[in-house]
Amino acid sequence: MTTVGRTYQVPDPLPAGAPGALIAATGHGPDARLEGARRWTVLYHSTNTHGADVPVSGTVLLPPGPAPKGGWPVVSWAHGTTGVADACAPSQWPNMGSDSFAQELRALLRAGYAVTASDYLGLGTPGVHTYLVGADEGNAVADIVTAARRLVPGLGTVWFAVGHSQGGQAALFATHAGRRTGAQHLGAVVAIAPASHLESMLAGVKASHVPSELSFAFYSLAGLAATDPADPSLHLRSLLEPAAAATASRVLADCVTGSDPVLNGLDTERMLPLSVDQLRRLGARMGAYGDPDRSAVTVPALVIQGEADEDVPRAWTDAVVAHLRRLGSPAVLYRTYPGAGHNQVLGQSVCDLLAFLHTHGGTGLGACTPSRSSAR
C-alpha cells in the first residue's frame, strides 16, 4: 500500500466489492509497541449511510503465537476522535492515534483477542471524514472484521464491537451492521463514554465559551457537509464568517494532540455565528445521522462512563442508557467510575470490560489490574 502525502492510494475508479472485501493489505511484522502483535494495514470495501460503495483503511492485529482452539475472538476497536485530516488516521500512527488507545489495545491483545481497528470513512482515504455519521462508522467497524477474516487464518467466529467516545457511538451503530459479518457472530458491544446528544452539540459549544470545544463543532460541521455534499447551505464558508472559516480550516488540518493553540482565546459565539434556526436545523440533521440511542441494540451491551468526564457528561450517557432500555434493548449494563475523566476511564474500566467480554463468549479471564490512562 502506498500513500500520496498521508492519503492511501485507492484504485480510481474503485472496482466493485462487497462490504468487507479486501482492496489491499500490507504486513508490518511483529509490533513490539503492541505486545509483539503481528500488524497489517488494510484497505477494504464498506458502504456509507447512502448505500454507496466506499474504501476504508484500518489495522489488523494478531496476538503472537499460534491461534487457540476455535480461533482468536475478535475485538473491532472503534477509536475516539483523532481529527478529520488523513494524517489523523490511527493506522498511520505507532500508538494507533493515542497512548490511551494503545494501552487499551495492549490489554486486549494480552487477553488473547485479535483486534481490528477501522480508521472510518475518509480518514486516510480520499474524501472528507464523515465525523460522527453513525452508519458510516458502524458499517466500517463491522466490515473490517470480514476483511480480517479474508486476510489471516485463525480467527474465531465471535467478535465484539468496543469503542471510546466517537468510537463508543460507532460501536453502538456497529450493532445494526452485525449481520454483515456472515459466519462471524457479534457477541456483545462495549460503548465507553459514547458521543451522543448531537442535536444540541453546536448550541452547547457556542454557549460554552470554552474555545477548545470548537474543534468538535468544526469537525461535526465538516462531517455533515461531507455526508450531504450537494447541499451548499452546509459548506463551512456558507455557515461561518471569513475569519471563522479560516480558523476552522486550520483546525481541520490538524490532529488531536491536546489543546490546539489555534483556538486559544477565541470567542465561541463569534466563531459560530449561527442563528437559533440554523442551530436547530443543523442539530436535527446531526442527531438524525449520529445519535446512537434512537434504535435498540439487539446484543448485550456494556456502557462505561467516567463521572468526572467533561467531554461527554455523565448526564448525557445516563440518558442514552435510559433510552436504549426504553426502546427494548435486551440487556444494557451500565458502569460508572467516580473521579474518572474522559480518557482516564479507559484504564480504570479495563478489567470490567474484559470480564464482560468473557461472559459473552470471549477469552478466559486471567489476572487483571486496572491501569491509569492520561488525564481528562
Side-chain angles (χ1 to χ4, degrees):
M1 292 170 58
T2 58
T3 59
V4 176
R6 300 298 291 270
T7 306
Y8 293 113
Q9 282 192 292
V10 175
D12 185 17
L14 179 67
L22 274 170
I23 300 168
T26 298
H28 305 291
D31 189 334
R33 297 156 299 200
L34 294 171
E35 299 296 313
R38 289 164 283 171
R39 181 170 179 166
W40 288 263
T41 303
V42 296
L43 286 171
Y44 61 98
H45 289 268
S46 189
T47 53
N48 66 15
T49 192
H50 303 300
D53 183 12
V54 291
V56 181
S57 57
T59 302
V60 175
L61 300 166
L62 254 60
K69 184 179 180 180
W72 288 288
V74 178
V75 166
S76 195
W77 166 254
H79 67 84
T81 300
T82 58
V84 299
D86 286 333
C88 310
S91 65
Q92 300 190 26
W93 290 76
N95 67 354
M96 297 295 292
S98 160
D99 288 343
S100 294
F101 299 164
Q103 177 178 275
E104 195 86 346
L105 298 183
R106 286 194 293 269
L108 292 165
L109 291 161
R110 283 196 301 270
Y113 291 93
V115 174
T116 59
S118 178
D119 290 333
Y120 309 142
L121 174 59
L123 267 182
T125 48
V128 178
H129 172 38
T130 50
Y131 181 71
L132 293 181
V133 175
D136 289 13
E137 296 169 355
N139 290 346
V141 168
D143 292 336
I144 195 172
V145 178
T146 303
R149 189 173 182 86
R150 294 171 177 175
L151 175 67
V152 295
L155 298 186
T157 58
V158 64
W159 71 280
F160 304 96
V162 179
H164 173 243
S165 194
Q166 177 188 7
Q169 174 225 24
L172 290 170
F173 270 94
T175 65
H176 307 306
R179 293 180 181 178
R180 298 159 71 99
T181 55
Q184 287 175 286
H185 164 68
L186 177 60
V189 59
V190 181
I192 307 166
S196 67
H197 289 68
L198 302 189
E199 65 280 354
S200 54
M201 189 269 292
L202 288 175
V205 170
K206 179 172 180 175
S208 72
H209 301 286
V210 179
S212 61
E213 297 295 314
L214 284 166
S215 58
F216 299 112
F218 294 151
Y219 294 159
S220 298
L221 287 171
L224 184 62
T227 302
D228 293 314
D231 187 344
S233 71
L234 299 178
H235 296 173
L236 284 177
R237 295 197 176 276
S238 298
L239 294 169
L240 306 180
E241 294 173 356
T247 298
S249 295
R250 292 173 65 188
V251 171
L252 297 180
D254 292 335
C255 300
V256 175
T257 55
S259 180
D260 192 333
V262 172
L263 299 175
N264 289 347
L266 294 180
D267 185 317
T268 56
E269 295 198 17
R270 287 188 177 182
M271 287 292 105
L272 294 172
L274 304 171
S275 68
V276 171
D277 181 67
Q278 284 178 305
L279 291 170
R280 180 196 58 76
R281 178 174 57 84
L282 293 168
R285 285 201 187 189
M286 288 180 181
Y289 277 130
D291 278 346
D293 56 343
R294 297 195 176 191
S295 300
V297 295
T298 57
V299 298
L302 170 63
V303 180
I304 288 170
Q305 177 67 35
E307 294 185 3
D309 192 329
E310 296 180 358
D311 292 330
V312 178
R314 176 179 170 173
W316 287 10
T317 305
D318 289 351
V320 167
V321 170
H323 292 165
L324 291 175
R325 287 171 173 166
R326 281 202 299 270
L327 288 167
S329 303
V332 180
L333 183 65
Y334 189 27
R335 293 273 187 264
T336 61
Y337 296 81
H342 191 62
N343 288 340
Q344 290 171 327
V345 76
L346 284 166
Q348 292 190 25
S349 65
V350 66
C351 297
D352 292 335
L353 183 156
L354 292 173
F356 178 79
L357 297 185
H358 168 67
T359 299
H360 296 285
T363 63
L365 187 63
C368 182
T369 303
S371 56
R372 291 183 175 272
S373 298
S374 58
R376 287 180 70 237

